[in-house]
Amino acid sequence: MFKIWKIAFRDLVRNRRRSLLTLLAIVIGVSLLLFTGSFYDGVFAGSLDMSIHLQTSDLQIRAQSYDADKISLDWKDLIENPQDLTGQIEAIQGVQAVTPVLWASGMLLSGSESVGVQINGIDPRSPIYDPIRQALTSGEMFAADDRGGVLVGESLAKSLGLSVGQNITLVTNTANRETDQAAFTIRGLFDTGVAQYDDSTIYMPLEKAQTFTAAGTRASAIRILLNDRTQAESYAAAFAAPGLQVLTWKQLNSILMDSVNASAAFIQLLYFIVLGMVAVVIANTLLMSVFERTREMGILSALGMKSRQILGMFLLEAGMLAVVGVALGVLFGGLIVYYYSQVGISFGQDIMEVKASNMITYGKVLYTQFSALKTMQLSLTALIMILLVAVYPASFAARLQPVQSLHGK
Amino acid sequence: MSAIEVEQITKTYKIGTQETHALRGVTASFNEGEFTALVGPSGSGKTTLLQIIGCLDQPTSGALRIKGQDVSRLNADQRADLRKGTIGFVFQFFALIPGLTAYENVELPLLLNGEGTAARKARVLELLDAVGLSERANHRPDQLSGGEQQRVAVARALSVRPLMVLADEPTANLDTENGKQVMEIMRRLNQETGVTFLFATHDPRVVSYATRVVQLRDGRIDDNHSAIPTV
Ligand SMILES: Nc1ncnc2c1ncn2[C@@H]1O[C@H](COP(=O)(O)OP(=O)(O)OP(=O)(O)O)[C@@H](O)[C@H]1O
Ligand SMILES: [Mg+2]
């Protein structure tokens, strides 16, 4: 449209400082939001990943009556023939790994101290426990037929002054609703990065756990990892059988998922607050520009420019600021996000913990997560918001009568 | 033939309850090619009359005819269109667009009128030459002297070959020498192109260029002091 863009552009260049400060506001706003969003995404993706790998897996099969909160060991609440089921599921395409697990609540006794723990009877050969193998800081994973070996969290061991090779006593609830007690040797210490988990988790071979708790050959659950997590629902439907319940990672991490949604709403609010502030800065800049240029508006109007065209010129000016600012903001914010997605942000302690049954949370290092979709959404929202805000000063300029604006010599 | 006719024009400004009668019934006509000085004491309504003739403002009552056509009741967009092709303005302050060069300032009305590139270029160069500023084509207003800026404004006012150029105290902010230069250029272009000029002024030296003088007093034309001097 004529040289309107040129007048608008020249005005931005002429008022270099004002334009730069406005750009800066947009850049800071956009990159801040980009970073905040990817930070939260990183926290939740990380938490979810951690939770799935350490605890829930993609799918779990349990007895229909099993209540995870009670960690029941009653035979009716356990899976009768976990090895058969495991073998069947293993053969199904798309299943990455499958393994039975037995959970029991117990107590670790060492000297005069006692600590409540959750005992995990596991098959150490399953790749599902790769994360634990990788988390070992000393010692090694026990063998499947080890009758007296356990893994203890490093932080727990430290607080009790224990190390690899030393003995501990474990007390456990049993299937008979009694308690049993036995001595074990620490084979290894692990550090998952989640203190709460490390402080309360004991691993021992499944078979030993079964005899220790009088569970026979039964298991609390069968953990399954899939090649494609997003297909969990259809696999769950396929595995459904009478007397069994099949839970997906979404159901197993429902509290975490809920808090993701809650914080998504919070992020949304933050977006609007920060963008609102940026918008006010833009509006202010443009309004100043309008006031400074009333005479110029008068001249343009005298030359025959219509108010619609003057409105367009101001919107164009705001648009140029917005496009350049948002682009720079995305670039700058994107670089920061990329950097921290590679290097990670190290925290001295756990970033967050949500105490709930079967729920663990994030470790000590956070990796931001870049989302192209969210970046596009943010850019678009910012652009639209800035343009909307620009309408007020622009229409103010357009409403000026030529005589009004030419007045004052 | 008369290019512009005003008939019983009144203009009343209202600020709150206070009414100012800036024009109290002005009737006049301006012929093509005339070079008219509008004189009168401060507050007599010169600027107001120029604004109404220039379609920047509307009269409270009365009629304005441009080439015989009544234009006193046009809406804002229609007036903008009329200004665009028919009227050129020169203001007391050097009213150039600060972001654009001298060349671009002269070009702007041509762009608004949708002139083609080649025609624009030829016209702009011709006019810059006519006001003696060919060398300054690429200077921005803040790189030009007041006199130079006003000459660019004159060139811009003439760019679309308007019916009429309205100038409100075009020399008031210039020194004698520059004022003289601007008046001589306007007079020469008036003679060469036959464009009608109407300019308000206080300055007797400026009045001396006029082919006709219209005297305003209290919002009315004072016929006793208006005259068509012999050229
Ligand atoms: N926008 C306005 N609102 C209210 N009153 C106005 C307005 N413009 C002009 N007036 C009044 O109308 C009268 C005529 O003003 P105008 O500017 O036309 O005079 P002028 O002859 O141009 O004066 P000067 O020689 O000082 O420029 C004055 O009394 C002025 O105060
Ligand atoms: Mg005046």
Side-chain angles (χ1 to χ4, degrees), chain B residues 38-49:
Chain B
L38 191 58
V39 298
S42 187
S44 57
K46 302 184 294 294
T47 297
T48 305
L49 184 58

Side-chain angles (χ1 to χ4, degrees), chain B residues 67-141:
Chain B
K67 286 204 146 180
Q69 197 189 344
D70 189 356
V71 295
S72 42
R73 293 290 170 262
L74 298 181
N75 68 28
D77 274 0
Q78 290 168 324
R79 275 183 281 141
D81 275 333
L82 190 68
R83 288 196 294 273
K84 199 163 71 176
T86 318
I87 296 154
F89 292 94
V90 178
F91 299 99
Q92 173 179 349
F93 56 91
F94 318 125
L96 302 181
I97 303 299
L100 301 180
T101 63
Y103 183 100
E104 289 163 341
N105 264 285
V106 178
E107 189 186 23
L108 191 58
L110 296 166
L111 279 163
L112 288 169
N113 271 291
E115 294 276 345
T117 319
R120 280 201 317 264
K121 186 169 183 191
R123 183 69 181 149
V124 173
L125 293 178
E126 178 192 343
L127 280 164
L128 283 176
D129 184 47
V131 298
L133 287 173
S134 300
E135 311 280 279
R136 298 277 189 275
N138 293 319
H139 289 220
R140 286 199 308 272

Side-chain angles (χ1 to χ4, degrees), chain A residues 105-150:
Chain A
S105 55
M107 201 112 74
L108 188 160
L109 306 180
S110 168
S112 60
E113 300 199 61
S114 67
V115 180
V117 292
Q118 173 164 334
I119 296 164
N120 287 243
I122 65 163
D123 180 351
R125 292 160 300 189
S126 169
I128 284 183
Y129 296 102
D130 285 349
I132 294 301
R133 252 188 295 279
Q134 283 154 14
L136 287 174
T137 55
S138 61
E140 54 192 16
M141 181 63 105
F142 44 72
D145 58 358
D146 192 331
R147 303 304 292 172
V150 291

Side-chain angles (χ1 to χ4, degrees), chain A residues 169-185:
Chain A
T169 302
L170 286 175
V171 180
T172 183
N173 292 318
T174 70
N176 313 322
R177 304 199 169 192
E178 290 163 357
T179 56
D180 199 356
Q181 177 171 337
F184 292 86
T185 307

Side-chain angles (χ1 to χ4, degrees), chain A residues 297-318:
Chain A
M297 297 306 105
I299 299 164
L300 289 172
S301 177
L303 294 182
M305 200 182 264
K306 298 194 177 100
S307 33
R308 177 160 23 89
Q309 294 170 313
I310 290 175
L311 182 92
M313 194 178 76
F314 271 96
L315 287 182
L316 206 64
E317 222 171 275

